[in-house]
Amino acid sequence: MYQIIDGKKISQEIKDELKEKVAGLKEQGKNVALAVIQVGNDPASSVYVNNKKKACAYIGIESLAYELPEETTEQELVELVEKLNADDKVNGILVQLPLPKHINEETIIQTISPKKDVDGFHMQSVGALCVGAKGYVSCTPLGIIELLKRSGIEIAGKHCVVIGRSNIVGKPMALLLLRENGTVTVCHSRTQDLKEITGQADILVVAIGKPKFVDETYVKEGAVVIDVGIHRNEQNKLCGDVDFDRVAPHTSAITPVPGGVGPMTIAMLMNNCVSSVE
Ligand code: NAD
């Protein structure tokens, strides 16, 4: 029988722990504040931003909302980020992606002070992760490490295979697994014999961005499978990059979609905000 890794439950535990920490910080006169910037009104982004605001409210983090019109220029956004960088009352800055096409995302990410880069996307944060120094770590892969640890799954010495090499998931995931002493292989769109490699994984992390791409033929019997994908199928139901029904019986543990990796991303964002004050 396989274990379903319950991201909803684990993320709730983390949020409750953070709530207590924030209460403790408040007793010491320390406030935690997160600036959340959204440009335009992309409906998916609005849902994510609202979820982040709700999580802040639950934990006791002050959320400062900046809802800017679609026509906002890159220069105006840079100026706002610089103003927030200089504001001692703001601990974290989050710019909801994607940004409208006329704004260069990389320029904005690199404008955020690494001290307030709670998304962990700044080059300095990524470099720190690379050399094992202190810094913010991208929330989704950080959440996956937390899911594994809190589910009692050992990473050290295990062959960890990551499908995907994006800057926000695949690459930081590989670096974090390496930091946890896993033996890491990264697969991507130019990888040959993908099944041959994924079939050797003790822990398989799938961040390929293709609905139900991974079936049981990619998975070693008894492996741990982490599904990062989020898609809506024809019936408007959520599904992942892994075909859960076909893969689950062959695993020892697996994350579902929804209720696996997704809820952890926000919990780790909140964690990064609190640690910015601690
Ligand atoms: P991406 O499109 O940037 O990256 C996909 C990666 O898959 C690429 O590196 C590419 O090389 C690789 N790939 C594509 N085709 C391949 C193939 N045939 N064989 C092997 N590798 C292949 O996507 P992303 O931003 O990393 O996101 C991946 C998925 O995770 C998406 O479904 C996204 O919606 C989801 N996601 C979820 C969360 C969350 O909070 N749960 C956060 C971020 C992303």
Side-chain angles (χ1 to χ4, degrees), residues 160-212:
C160 307
V161 175
V162 180
I163 314 183
R165 57 170 165 187
S166 70
N167 287 344
I168 60 165
V169 187
K171 277 184 208 153
M173 186 74 252
L175 289 167
L176 278 176
L177 289 164
L178 192 58
R179 190 168 85 178
E180 297 297 329
N181 299 311
T183 301
V184 182
T185 304
V186 182
C187 300
H188 48 78
S189 52
R190 306 284 283 273
T191 296
Q192 292 178 1
D193 299 328
L194 183 62
K195 283 186 188 180
E196 167 80 24
I197 300 166
T198 60
Q200 295 169 31
D202 301 311
I203 298 175
L204 177 63
V205 180
V206 189
I208 190 171
K210 296 181 199 280
K212 296 193 179 183

Short mmCIF file of all heavy atoms in Angstrom, two decimals, residues 160-212:
data_model
loop_
_atom_site.label_atom_id
_atom_site.label_comp_id
_atom_site.label_asym_id
_atom_site.label_seq_id
_atom_site.Cartn_x
_atom_site.Cartn_y
_atom_site.Cartn_z
N CYS A 160 17.87 10.72 -6.74
CA CYS A 160 16.75 11.64 -6.95
C CYS A 160 16.79 12.10 -8.40
O CYS A 160 17.81 12.64 -8.84
CB CYS A 160 16.88 12.87 -6.05
SG CYS A 160 17.11 12.45 -4.31
N VAL A 161 15.72 11.87 -9.13
CA VAL A 161 15.67 12.31 -10.53
C VAL A 161 14.63 13.41 -10.64
O VAL A 161 13.50 13.27 -10.17
CB VAL A 161 15.33 11.13 -11.47
CG1 VAL A 161 15.17 11.62 -12.91
CG2 VAL A 161 16.41 10.05 -11.39
N VAL A 162 15.05 14.54 -11.23
CA VAL A 162 14.15 15.68 -11.41
C VAL A 162 13.87 15.79 -12.92
O VAL A 162 14.81 15.86 -13.71
CB VAL A 162 14.81 16.99 -10.92
CG1 VAL A 162 13.87 18.18 -11.10
CG2 VAL A 162 15.23 16.86 -9.45
N ILE A 163 12.60 15.80 -13.30
CA ILE A 163 12.28 16.07 -14.72
C ILE A 163 11.90 17.55 -14.81
O ILE A 163 10.91 17.98 -14.23
CB ILE A 163 11.12 15.22 -15.27
CG1 ILE A 163 11.25 13.75 -14.89
CG2 ILE A 163 11.05 15.37 -16.79
CD1 ILE A 163 10.14 12.86 -15.49
N GLY A 164 12.71 18.33 -15.51
CA GLY A 164 12.49 19.78 -15.64
C GLY A 164 13.70 20.54 -15.13
O GLY A 164 14.31 20.13 -14.13
N ARG A 165 14.04 21.62 -15.83
CA ARG A 165 15.21 22.41 -15.41
C ARG A 165 14.88 23.91 -15.40
O ARG A 165 15.72 24.75 -15.73
CB ARG A 165 16.39 22.14 -16.33
CG ARG A 165 16.08 22.43 -17.79
CD ARG A 165 17.29 22.38 -18.66
NE ARG A 165 16.91 22.30 -20.06
CZ ARG A 165 17.76 22.11 -21.06
NH1 ARG A 165 19.04 21.99 -20.82
NH2 ARG A 165 17.35 22.07 -22.29
N SER A 166 13.61 24.25 -15.08
CA SER A 166 13.25 25.67 -15.05
C SER A 166 13.93 26.34 -13.87
O SER A 166 14.33 25.68 -12.90
CB SER A 166 11.73 25.84 -14.94
OG SER A 166 11.30 25.43 -13.66
N ASN A 167 14.04 27.68 -13.97
CA ASN A 167 14.70 28.42 -12.89
C ASN A 167 13.89 28.42 -11.59
O ASN A 167 14.46 28.57 -10.52
CB ASN A 167 14.93 29.87 -13.32
CG ASN A 167 16.04 29.97 -14.33
OD1 ASN A 167 16.84 29.03 -14.49
ND2 ASN A 167 16.11 31.08 -15.04
N ILE A 168 12.55 28.26 -11.72
CA ILE A 168 11.76 28.35 -10.48
C ILE A 168 11.49 26.99 -9.84
O ILE A 168 11.20 26.92 -8.65
CB ILE A 168 10.45 29.14 -10.66
CG1 ILE A 168 9.54 28.49 -11.70
CG2 ILE A 168 10.70 30.59 -11.01
CD1 ILE A 168 8.12 29.04 -11.64
N VAL A 169 11.57 25.92 -10.62
CA VAL A 169 11.32 24.59 -10.03
C VAL A 169 12.51 23.65 -10.21
O VAL A 169 13.19 23.29 -9.25
CB VAL A 169 10.02 23.93 -10.58
CG1 VAL A 169 9.75 22.65 -9.80
CG2 VAL A 169 8.82 24.85 -10.50
N GLY A 170 12.75 23.23 -11.45
CA GLY A 170 13.71 22.14 -11.70
C GLY A 170 15.11 22.40 -11.13
O GLY A 170 15.64 21.56 -10.38
N LYS A 171 15.69 23.55 -11.50
CA LYS A 171 17.08 23.80 -11.06
C LYS A 171 17.21 23.94 -9.54
O LYS A 171 18.04 23.24 -8.94
CB LYS A 171 17.64 25.05 -11.75
CG LYS A 171 18.18 24.75 -13.13
CD LYS A 171 18.80 26.01 -13.72
CE LYS A 171 18.74 25.99 -15.22
NZ LYS A 171 18.71 27.32 -15.80
N PRO A 172 16.39 24.80 -8.90
CA PRO A 172 16.53 24.87 -7.43
C PRO A 172 16.20 23.54 -6.75
O PRO A 172 16.78 23.20 -5.72
CB PRO A 172 15.58 25.99 -7.00
CG PRO A 172 14.71 26.27 -8.18
CD PRO A 172 15.43 25.82 -9.40
N MET A 173 15.27 22.77 -7.34
CA MET A 173 14.93 21.46 -6.77
C MET A 173 16.17 20.57 -6.75
O MET A 173 16.47 19.93 -5.73
CB MET A 173 13.83 20.82 -7.65
CG MET A 173 13.28 19.53 -7.10
SD MET A 173 12.22 19.85 -5.70
CE MET A 173 13.16 19.28 -4.32
N ALA A 174 16.88 20.54 -7.88
CA ALA A 174 18.07 19.69 -7.97
C ALA A 174 19.11 20.14 -6.94
O ALA A 174 19.72 19.31 -6.25
CB ALA A 174 18.65 19.77 -9.38
N LEU A 175 19.29 21.45 -6.80
CA LEU A 175 20.29 21.97 -5.84
C LEU A 175 19.90 21.63 -4.40
O LEU A 175 20.76 21.29 -3.58
CB LEU A 175 20.44 23.49 -6.00
CG LEU A 175 21.13 23.94 -7.29
CD1 LEU A 175 20.95 25.43 -7.51
CD2 LEU A 175 22.62 23.60 -7.24
N LEU A 176 18.61 21.72 -4.10
CA LEU A 176 18.16 21.41 -2.73
C LEU A 176 18.32 19.93 -2.41
O LEU A 176 18.72 19.56 -1.30
CB LEU A 176 16.69 21.79 -2.56
CG LEU A 176 16.40 23.26 -2.27
CD1 LEU A 176 14.90 23.49 -2.23
CD2 LEU A 176 17.01 23.69 -0.95
N LEU A 177 18.01 19.08 -3.38
CA LEU A 177 18.16 17.63 -3.15
C LEU A 177 19.64 17.30 -2.95
O LEU A 177 19.99 16.45 -2.11
CB LEU A 177 17.57 16.84 -4.32
CG LEU A 177 16.03 16.88 -4.41
CD1 LEU A 177 15.55 16.41 -5.79
CD2 LEU A 177 15.40 16.01 -3.31
N LEU A 178 20.49 18.00 -3.68
CA LEU A 178 21.93 17.82 -3.52
C LEU A 178 22.37 18.28 -2.12
O LEU A 178 23.16 17.61 -1.45
CB LEU A 178 22.64 18.65 -4.60
CG LEU A 178 24.11 18.43 -4.84
CD1 LEU A 178 24.40 16.99 -5.19
CD2 LEU A 178 24.58 19.35 -5.98
N ARG A 179 21.81 19.43 -1.69
CA ARG A 179 22.12 19.93 -0.34
C ARG A 179 21.71 18.93 0.73
O ARG A 179 22.33 18.83 1.79
CB ARG A 179 21.39 21.28 -0.13
CG ARG A 179 21.83 22.00 1.12
CD ARG A 179 21.32 23.41 1.13
NE ARG A 179 19.96 23.50 1.65
CZ ARG A 179 19.29 24.63 1.81
NH1 ARG A 179 19.83 25.78 1.47
NH2 ARG A 179 18.08 24.63 2.29
N GLU A 180 20.65 18.15 0.44
CA GLU A 180 20.19 17.11 1.39
C GLU A 180 20.92 15.79 1.17
O GLU A 180 20.47 14.75 1.63
CB GLU A 180 18.68 16.91 1.23
CG GLU A 180 17.82 18.12 1.56
CD GLU A 180 17.93 18.57 3.00
OE1 GLU A 180 18.15 17.72 3.87
OE2 GLU A 180 17.82 19.79 3.25
N ASN A 181 22.00 15.83 0.39
CA ASN A 181 22.85 14.66 0.16
C ASN A 181 22.23 13.56 -0.71
O ASN A 181 22.59 12.39 -0.59
CB ASN A 181 23.34 14.06 1.49
CG ASN A 181 24.14 15.06 2.27
OD1 ASN A 181 25.06 15.68 1.71
ND2 ASN A 181 23.81 15.26 3.53
N GLY A 182 21.27 13.96 -1.55
CA GLY A 182 20.78 13.02 -2.56
C GLY A 182 21.78 12.91 -3.70
O GLY A 182 22.65 13.77 -3.85
N THR A 183 21.67 11.84 -4.48
CA THR A 183 22.46 11.72 -5.72
C THR A 183 21.50 12.14 -6.83
O THR A 183 20.47 11.50 -7.03
CB THR A 183 22.91 10.26 -5.92
OG1 THR A 183 23.68 9.90 -4.78
CG2 THR A 183 23.73 10.09 -7.18
N VAL A 184 21.84 13.26 -7.48
CA VAL A 184 20.81 13.93 -8.29
C VAL A 184 21.07 13.83 -9.79
O VAL A 184 22.18 14.06 -10.25
CB VAL A 184 20.71 15.43 -7.88
CG1 VAL A 184 19.60 16.12 -8.67
CG2 VAL A 184 20.47 15.56 -6.39
N THR A 185 20.03 13.50 -10.54
CA THR A 185 20.07 13.54 -12.00
C THR A 185 18.97 14.49 -12.47
O THR A 185 17.84 14.42 -11.96
CB THR A 185 19.80 12.14 -12.59
OG1 THR A 185 20.74 11.21 -12.04
CG2 THR A 185 19.93 12.14 -14.11
N VAL A 186 19.31 15.39 -13.39
CA VAL A 186 18.31 16.31 -13.93
C VAL A 186 18.00 15.93 -15.38
O VAL A 186 18.92 15.81 -16.19
CB VAL A 186 18.80 17.78 -13.88
CG1 VAL A 186 17.73 18.73 -14.41
CG2 VAL A 186 19.21 18.16 -12.47
N CYS A 187 16.72 15.74 -15.69
CA CYS A 187 16.30 15.43 -17.06
C CYS A 187 15.56 16.63 -17.64
O CYS A 187 14.96 17.41 -16.90
CB CYS A 187 15.36 14.23 -17.07
SG CYS A 187 16.11 12.75 -16.40
N HIS A 188 15.61 16.79 -18.94
CA HIS A 188 14.97 17.93 -19.59
C HIS A 188 14.56 17.55 -21.00
O HIS A 188 14.67 16.37 -21.39
CB HIS A 188 15.93 19.14 -19.57
CG HIS A 188 17.29 18.79 -20.02
ND1 HIS A 188 17.62 18.64 -21.34
CD2 HIS A 188 18.41 18.48 -19.31
CE1 HIS A 188 18.87 18.29 -21.43
NE2 HIS A 188 19.39 18.17 -20.21
N SER A 189 14.12 18.54 -21.76
CA SER A 189 13.52 18.24 -23.07
C SER A 189 14.50 17.60 -24.05
O SER A 189 14.08 16.98 -25.02
CB SER A 189 12.95 19.53 -23.68
OG SER A 189 13.94 20.52 -23.67
N ARG A 190 15.80 17.72 -23.82
CA ARG A 190 16.78 17.11 -24.73
C ARG A 190 17.36 15.81 -24.17
O ARG A 190 18.29 15.25 -24.74
CB ARG A 190 17.93 18.10 -25.00
CG ARG A 190 17.46 19.46 -25.50
CD ARG A 190 17.05 19.41 -26.97
NE ARG A 190 18.20 19.39 -27.83
CZ ARG A 190 18.85 20.47 -28.27
NH1 ARG A 190 18.41 21.67 -27.93
NH2 ARG A 190 19.89 20.37 -29.05
N THR A 191 16.82 15.35 -23.04
CA THR A 191 17.31 14.10 -22.44
C THR A 191 16.95 12.91 -23.33
O THR A 191 15.82 12.84 -23.83
CB THR A 191 16.69 13.91 -21.03
OG1 THR A 191 17.16 14.96 -20.20
CG2 THR A 191 17.04 12.57 -20.42
N GLN A 192 17.91 12.01 -23.52
CA GLN A 192 17.62 10.79 -24.28
C GLN A 192 17.29 9.67 -23.30
O GLN A 192 17.79 9.66 -22.18
CB GLN A 192 18.83 10.42 -25.13
CG GLN A 192 19.05 11.46 -26.23
CD GLN A 192 20.26 11.16 -27.09
OE1 GLN A 192 20.95 10.18 -26.89
NE2 GLN A 192 20.51 12.04 -28.03
N ASP A 193 16.47 8.74 -23.72
CA ASP A 193 16.08 7.59 -22.89
C ASP A 193 15.56 8.01 -21.51
O ASP A 193 16.05 7.55 -20.48
CB ASP A 193 17.29 6.64 -22.70
CG ASP A 193 17.79 6.10 -24.02
OD1 ASP A 193 16.95 5.90 -24.93
OD2 ASP A 193 19.01 5.89 -24.15
N LEU A 194 14.58 8.91 -21.52
CA LEU A 194 14.04 9.44 -20.26
C LEU A 194 13.60 8.31 -19.31
O LEU A 194 13.94 8.31 -18.12
CB LEU A 194 12.87 10.38 -20.57
CG LEU A 194 12.21 11.09 -19.40
CD1 LEU A 194 13.20 12.01 -18.67
CD2 LEU A 194 11.00 11.91 -19.86
N LYS A 195 12.86 7.34 -19.86
CA LYS A 195 12.32 6.26 -19.00
C LYS A 195 13.44 5.45 -18.35
O LYS A 195 13.30 4.99 -17.22
CB LYS A 195 11.46 5.31 -19.83
CG LYS A 195 10.10 5.85 -20.15
CD LYS A 195 9.25 4.79 -20.84
CE LYS A 195 7.96 5.44 -21.31
NZ LYS A 195 7.08 4.50 -21.99
N GLU A 196 14.52 5.27 -19.09
CA GLU A 196 15.68 4.52 -18.59
C GLU A 196 16.22 5.22 -17.31
O GLU A 196 16.58 4.56 -16.34
CB GLU A 196 16.74 4.51 -19.71
CG GLU A 196 18.12 4.07 -19.35
CD GLU A 196 18.23 2.55 -19.29
OE1 GLU A 196 17.42 1.89 -19.94
OE2 GLU A 196 19.14 2.08 -18.56
N ILE A 197 16.22 6.55 -17.34
CA ILE A 197 16.76 7.31 -16.19
C ILE A 197 15.73 7.39 -15.07
O ILE A 197 16.05 7.12 -13.91
CB ILE A 197 17.20 8.72 -16.65
CG1 ILE A 197 18.27 8.60 -17.73
CG2 ILE A 197 17.70 9.55 -15.47
CD1 ILE A 197 18.55 9.87 -18.48
N THR A 198 14.48 7.74 -15.41
CA THR A 198 13.48 7.89 -14.34
C THR A 198 13.22 6.54 -13.66
O THR A 198 12.89 6.50 -12.48
CB THR A 198 12.15 8.46 -14.88
OG1 THR A 198 11.64 7.55 -15.88
CG2 THR A 198 12.33 9.83 -15.50
N GLY A 199 13.41 5.47 -14.42
CA GLY A 199 13.21 4.12 -13.87
C GLY A 199 14.23 3.74 -12.83
O GLY A 199 14.09 2.72 -12.16
N GLN A 200 15.27 4.57 -12.67
CA GLN A 200 16.29 4.29 -11.63
C GLN A 200 16.04 5.14 -10.38
O GLN A 200 16.79 5.05 -9.41
CB GLN A 200 17.68 4.65 -12.16
CG GLN A 200 18.13 3.79 -13.32
CD GLN A 200 19.40 4.37 -13.94
OE1 GLN A 200 20.22 4.99 -13.27
NE2 GLN A 200 19.54 4.18 -15.23
N ALA A 201 15.03 6.01 -10.44
CA ALA A 201 14.86 6.99 -9.35
C ALA A 201 14.26 6.36 -8.10
O ALA A 201 13.25 5.65 -8.18
CB ALA A 201 13.97 8.13 -9.82
N ASP A 202 14.88 6.65 -6.95
CA ASP A 202 14.23 6.33 -5.67
C ASP A 202 13.21 7.42 -5.37
O ASP A 202 12.16 7.17 -4.80
CB ASP A 202 15.28 6.31 -4.54
CG ASP A 202 16.37 5.29 -4.79
OD1 ASP A 202 16.03 4.14 -5.11
OD2 ASP A 202 17.57 5.65 -4.69
N ILE A 203 13.59 8.67 -5.72
CA ILE A 203 12.67 9.81 -5.56
C ILE A 203 12.58 10.48 -6.93
O ILE A 203 13.60 10.90 -7.49
CB ILE A 203 13.19 10.81 -4.50
CG1 ILE A 203 13.30 10.13 -3.13
CG2 ILE A 203 12.28 12.04 -4.43
CD1 ILE A 203 13.92 11.00 -2.04
N LEU A 204 11.38 10.56 -7.48
CA LEU A 204 11.19 11.15 -8.80
C LEU A 204 10.35 12.42 -8.65
O LEU A 204 9.22 12.37 -8.16
CB LEU A 204 10.47 10.15 -9.73
CG LEU A 204 10.12 10.65 -11.13
CD1 LEU A 204 11.38 10.98 -11.94
CD2 LEU A 204 9.30 9.59 -11.89
N VAL A 205 10.93 13.57 -9.03
CA VAL A 205 10.19 14.84 -8.97
C VAL A 205 9.85 15.24 -10.41
O VAL A 205 10.74 15.36 -11.25
CB VAL A 205 11.04 15.96 -8.31
CG1 VAL A 205 10.25 17.26 -8.27
CG2 VAL A 205 11.47 15.55 -6.90
N VAL A 206 8.57 15.42 -10.67
CA VAL A 206 8.13 15.68 -12.04
C VAL A 206 7.64 17.12 -12.18
O VAL A 206 6.64 17.51 -11.57
CB VAL A 206 7.00 14.69 -12.45
CG1 VAL A 206 6.71 14.82 -13.94
CG2 VAL A 206 7.38 13.25 -12.11
N ALA A 207 8.38 17.91 -12.94
CA ALA A 207 8.01 19.32 -13.20
C ALA A 207 8.20 19.57 -14.68
O ALA A 207 9.05 20.35 -15.09
CB ALA A 207 8.86 20.26 -12.35
N ILE A 208 7.40 18.91 -15.47
CA ILE A 208 7.56 18.91 -16.93
C ILE A 208 6.54 19.83 -17.60
O ILE A 208 6.72 20.26 -18.74
CB ILE A 208 7.49 17.46 -17.45
CG1 ILE A 208 7.89 17.35 -18.92
CG2 ILE A 208 6.15 16.83 -17.25
CD1 ILE A 208 8.05 15.91 -19.41
N GLY A 209 5.44 20.12 -16.88
CA GLY A 209 4.43 21.03 -17.42
C GLY A 209 3.57 20.40 -18.50
O GLY A 209 3.05 21.11 -19.36
N LYS A 210 3.40 19.06 -18.46
CA LYS A 210 2.54 18.37 -19.45
C LYS A 210 1.59 17.46 -18.67
O LYS A 210 2.05 16.56 -17.95
CB LYS A 210 3.38 17.52 -20.41
CG LYS A 210 4.35 18.33 -21.29
CD LYS A 210 5.10 17.39 -22.22
CE LYS A 210 6.34 17.97 -22.79
NZ LYS A 210 6.26 18.85 -23.87
N PRO A 211 0.27 17.66 -18.84
CA PRO A 211 -0.69 16.90 -18.04
C PRO A 211 -0.53 15.38 -18.19
O PRO A 211 -0.45 14.87 -19.30
CB PRO A 211 -2.07 17.36 -18.56
CG PRO A 211 -1.81 18.28 -19.70
CD PRO A 211 -0.37 18.62 -19.74
N LYS A 212 -0.49 14.71 -17.04
CA LYS A 212 -0.45 13.23 -16.95
C LYS A 212 0.62 12.60 -17.84
O LYS A 212 0.43 11.52 -18.39
CB LYS A 212 -1.83 12.66 -17.31
CG LYS A 212 -2.91 13.08 -16.33
CD LYS A 212 -4.16 12.26 -16.54
CE LYS A 212 -5.23 12.66 -15.54
NZ LYS A 212 -6.43 11.86 -15.65
#
